Amino acid sequence: MLDGGGDARLLVGRGRELEQLDAALRGAVAGRGGVVVITGDPGIGKTALARAFVERAAARDATWAWGTCWDGGGAPAYWPWVQIARALTRELDPNAVRASLGDGAPWIAGLLPELVSTLGQPAMPSDLSADQARFRLFDALGNLLAGVAARRPLVIVLDDLHWADASSVHALEFVARMLPDLPILAIAAYRHSEAHAREDLAPALGGLARAARRLPLEGLGRDDVGRLAAARAHGLGDRDGRGGASGDVPAIPPRLVAAVHDASAGNPFFVDELVQLLASQGRLHDERAADEPLPLPDGVRDTLRRRLAPLHGTSMDVLRAAAVIGGVFRIATLARVTGATPVAVLGHLDVASRAGLVVAADDRGRYGFAHALVRDTLLTTVGATERARLHVLAAEALEDHDGDVEPHLSEIAHHFLQGASEGGAQRAVAYAGRAARRAIGQFAYEEAARLYSRAIEVAAALPADDRRSWELHHGLGEALMRAGDVDGSRLALGQAMELAAAFEDPQPLAHSVLAGTLPGFSPGVVEPELVVVLEDAIARLDAAIVTEPELRAAGDALRCRLRVQLAVALFWSPEIERRGQLVEEAFVLARAIFTGEAARGSRAQRMLADRTLAFVLAQGFPAIWGPDTAERGLPISVEVLELCERTNDPELAM
């Protein structure tokens, strides 16, 4: 979506800000990169400034990439980074991409599955801790930026960051620490008040602010408003009947310019809206218009409604449906939602484009609203029931898109969740769970927790399903634990354990118990509640009779992990012999898996055997650490390193 004043050709009154960005770019070219944060109100011209600067940077032989955050909901985790990485990998040949990423290739492949063939490595799920996994992904992003910048200075823009997922901002905060030694300038643009009002963004933005230079945008002065109004009036030509044969437009009376400045507070988007309104009324060059109160800024929605008024019913229906889909939308999706042909939809969008309401987002059949306020105004005209119905239609259209829902999981989940009241509830829960699992796989833990929470809310209105409820609460607990919310995680996992305790299969309970164990050791205390649930899970698994080889191997792997975690939980207790017995049992069982049927089975089974043994060795040995165990440490460490190399697990190796 384009921000207000998004047309860089109409950039007025931002000379000082452009000079500051130029100075930042000169520093980056000299190897002293950094981050500049552009903040301001809606319509103040953040995007226009960034676009104008990018054009100047490109003219100076800098590479650039742009990522825009999605305001319609349902964007995949790291969406601005996906756009940036996609653009930058096109700048490099495959060998250069592989060289830049090194062992970070699988992590970038997790964001961009289309790179799997180029990189020659699959995106592999990780058993690493949340912080380790996220570190690897962020480090891979930084290495990609550095690889591109090694050829030419690089400018990246993350626009509309107030709509970003928290993981995207954490990634920028991480990358910002790498930039002082690189020829890279990162620009982040967002609405300060909206971004800092979000509890999930505020901490990361605080960290980013300490590493960034802030560039706040204020309203334009009166003279600049006059220049902007004159430029817009010239672009409108003789719409108000004042243009001469040559297309010249008379000057706007100074009193009217002053009135426009006062009403708009110098906001470029409001200036533009007011100029277009006055032109449509034939009053743009009538000084008497200054004698009446002008409707902006408080009346900006009324101004937009007046611009929408000339559109006939069908065109308005198409725009309303587009507003429900999101800030940027595909013609094919919009056609499916409205039941019109793509040609007919394109005709309606042409009408809206001439009215300055929508713009072509790219050359691949995507359009966007000229400003967020245009979409917001349209949404106020759509009733709750109709909006839910349109959301369901949008989700169904995306389900049918090229027969591949994977790239659109978050979007589909968002639309079904919004349309739950109109028949989308079952599918909302299913897609939200899938999108959440994908987010965890991409280390976007806050986004996964949000999706699980929404799925739990919607599922409450469906017929009871304990297995589904366990899956959702377990997933929420796992996501919160990885995001660092221990209290919230244990609350969700406690609910999951209550549900799992009633199942005949003991494995769900074991999974939830393990998800609630913190990595490492507690600070000098034993948690009795944790010991009890670990003991209960072990007893249930040990009592279970399983004949299926694959299920038996999975159960044995859980037995190993539970025993090791119980030994860790007892580390500060006087039960030294019990800890030793638990770890020894886990060692024996892990060796049996490692040399048994699982080790000779499928790739997934072999990976399970290797990772189980690596976990038991790496975590079990410290659980029995003492003065007399040092000699055993070296051969165990060597074996763990070999297993880590085989399972591509560099963090556990470290």
Side-chain angles (χ1 to χ4, degrees), residues 20-357:
Q20 292 183 53
L21 289 172
D22 284 340
L25 179 59
R26 288 194 295 272
V29 170
R32 302 185 306 276
V35 180
V36 175
V37 170
I38 303 175
T39 62
D41 294 331
I44 204 69
K46 302 179 291 296
T47 300
L49 174 63
R51 288 189 185 282
F53 171 70
V54 162
E55 290 179 5
R56 291 158 71 111
R60 297 169 189 170
D61 203 34
T63 302
W64 63 275
W66 192 290
T68 302
C69 300
W70 176 263
D71 71 321
Y78 303 106
W79 179 236
W81 288 106
V82 168
Q83 297 168 73
I84 289 170
R86 187 170 285 153
L88 294 181
T89 51
R90 288 197 292 262
E91 288 284 321
L92 300 172
D93 62 63
N95 290 331
V97 172
R98 287 191 290 269
S100 297
L101 293 175
D103 60 6
W107 308 91
I108 294 296
L111 289 187
L112 299 175
E114 65 264 32
L115 284 183
V116 169
S117 59
T118 299
L119 298 173
Q121 296 186 51
M124 295 182 63
S126 173
D127 285 340
L128 306 179
S129 73
D131 291 338
Q132 289 175 326
R134 206 176 332 213
F135 177 91
R136 292 292 296 169
L137 174 60
F138 294 173
D139 188 52
L141 279 172
N143 288 338
L144 175 61
L145 300 180
V148 175
R151 301 165 68 239
R152 289 190 296 170
L154 173 63
V155 176
I156 61 170
V157 180
L158 291 88
D159 198 16
D160 291 331
L161 208 63
H162 48 277
W163 287 320
D165 59 292
S167 299
S168 291
V169 183
H170 283 302
L172 179 58
E173 182 188 6
F174 180 96
V175 167
R177 301 172 189 273
M178 304 172 65
L179 299 188
D181 298 320
L182 295 170
I184 300 172
L185 176 61
I187 298 173
Y190 61 85
R191 302 174 190 172
H192 185 273
S193 57
E194 289 186 33
H196 284 270
R198 286 180 50 185
E199 292 183 3
D200 58 333
L201 288 192
L205 288 173
L208 179 63
R210 290 188 288 273
R213 181 184 311 172
R214 189 160 173 259
L215 190 58
L217 297 188
E218 306 293 342
L220 300 175
R222 183 173 297 181
D223 291 343
D224 289 329
V225 166
R227 283 191 284 273
L228 179 59
R232 174 55 71 189
H234 181 76
L236 294 171
D238 62 352
R239 185 182 296 181
D240 67 346
R242 298 297 185 93
S246 64
D248 293 336
V249 179
I252 302 173
R255 282 186 59 230
L256 187 53
V257 169
V260 169
H261 174 262
D262 292 342
S264 66
N267 184 296
F269 174 68
F270 294 169
V271 171
D272 181 52
E273 290 299 307
L274 190 49
V275 167
Q276 294 199 55
L277 174 61
L278 291 170
S280 69
Q281 297 173 341
R283 300 194 302 156
L284 186 55
H285 304 287
D286 185 352
E287 189 172 18
R288 291 171 297 178
D291 297 329
E292 304 173 12
L294 298 179
L296 291 176
D298 292 337
V300 66
R301 297 196 193 283
D302 291 334
T303 301
L304 290 168
R305 288 191 183 100
R306 293 185 194 185
R307 281 178 60 188
L308 290 165
L311 301 181
H312 63 77
T314 306
S315 291
M316 277 295 292
D317 289 342
V318 168
L319 284 184
R320 289 190 186 101
V324 171
I325 293 171
V328 178
F329 47 89
R330 303 174 187 85
I331 291 175
T333 305
L334 188 53
R336 168 70 185 270
V337 171
T338 59
T341 66
V343 172
V345 166
L346 192 55
H348 294 303
L349 293 178
D350 284 342
V351 173
S353 179
R354 289 195 295 273
L357 299 168

Side-chain angles (χ1 to χ4, degrees), residues 255-616:
R255 282 186 59 230
L256 187 53
V257 169
V260 169
H261 174 262
D262 292 342
S264 66
N267 184 296
F269 174 68
F270 294 169
V271 171
D272 181 52
E273 290 299 307
L274 190 49
V275 167
Q276 294 199 55
L277 174 61
L278 291 170
S280 69
Q281 297 173 341
R283 300 194 302 156
L284 186 55
H285 304 287
D286 185 352
E287 189 172 18
R288 291 171 297 178
D291 297 329
E292 304 173 12
L294 298 179
L296 291 176
D298 292 337
V300 66
R301 297 196 193 283
D302 291 334
T303 301
L304 290 168
R305 288 191 183 100
R306 293 185 194 185
R307 281 178 60 188
L308 290 165
L311 301 181
H312 63 77
T314 306
S315 291
M316 277 295 292
D317 289 342
V318 168
L319 284 184
R320 289 190 186 101
V324 171
I325 293 171
V328 178
F329 47 89
R330 303 174 187 85
I331 291 175
T333 305
L334 188 53
R336 168 70 185 270
V337 171
T338 59
T341 66
V343 172
V345 166
L346 192 55
H348 294 303
L349 293 178
D350 284 342
V351 173
S353 179
R354 289 195 295 273
L357 299 168
V358 301
V359 294
D362 53 36
D363 58 0
R364 302 192 304 276
R366 298 198 313 159
Y367 276 74
F369 290 100
H371 192 276
L373 292 176
V374 176
R375 177 173 178 258
D376 291 348
T377 302
L378 284 162
L379 286 174
T380 63
T381 69
V382 186
T385 300
E386 176 65 6
R387 190 181 300 191
R389 186 185 71 84
L390 291 171
H391 275 298
V392 171
L393 290 173
E396 291 173 345
L398 290 166
E399 275 187 309
D400 293 342
H401 184 72
D402 296 333
D404 181 14
V405 301
E406 198 65 25
H408 309 288
L409 278 179
S410 297
E411 229 179 318
I412 295 171
H414 163 74
H415 287 301
F416 274 134
L417 286 167
Q418 295 297 316
S421 62
E422 291 299 307
Q426 289 276 11
R427 290 173 291 180
V429 173
Y431 273 109
R434 289 177 64 180
R437 288 190 292 274
R438 184 183 183 196
I440 285 181
Q442 295 178 323
F443 324 115
Y445 309 120
E446 295 86 356
E447 175 65 7
R450 185 190 68 81
L451 286 163
Y452 276 125
S453 295
R454 285 287 290 119
I456 290 170
E457 291 174 13
V458 172
L462 295 173
D465 184 333
D466 288 347
R467 183 75 185 203
R468 179 185 63 208
S469 186
W470 169 77
E471 289 175 354
L472 295 176
H473 283 92
H474 173 86
L476 174 60
E478 185 179 29
L480 289 172
M481 182 64 77
R482 294 186 178 199
D485 183 356
V486 177
D487 292 338
S489 170
R490 288 189 167 170
L491 180 62
L493 289 170
Q495 293 172 293
M497 289 178 209
E498 287 182 17
L499 291 161
F503 297 162
E504 184 177 344
D505 179 4
Q507 293 198 16
L509 177 63
H511 283 294
S512 292
V513 169
L514 285 170
T517 56
L518 285 169
F521 298 90
S522 56
V525 297
V526 176
E527 298 181 72
E529 299 87 355
L530 180 59
V531 171
V532 169
V533 295
L534 283 164
E535 289 174 338
D536 183 41
I538 291 172
R540 287 170 181 257
L541 267 176
D542 287 351
I545 300 173
V546 181
T547 57
E548 175 65 36
E550 191 165 336
L551 293 177
R552 188 168 60 246
D556 287 345
L558 287 172
R559 289 185 180 90
C560 291
R561 289 176 180 261
L562 286 167
R563 280 168 165 76
V564 168
Q565 290 301 146
L566 179 55
V568 170
L570 293 169
F571 184 79
W572 299 105
S573 78
E575 300 184 63
I576 299 174
E577 290 185 6
R578 187 184 180 195
R579 278 191 283 125
Q581 181 182 349
L582 286 165
V583 172
E584 186 60 32
E585 290 173 0
F587 280 164
V588 171
L589 196 50
R591 295 278 183 204
I593 300 172
F594 187 72
T595 58
E597 296 176 18
R600 298 186 295 276
S602 66
R603 182 178 182 277
Q605 289 179 291
R606 295 195 303 274
M607 186 68 72
L608 173 70
D610 287 350
R611 287 187 168 175
T612 300
L613 183 57
F615 177 87
V616 169

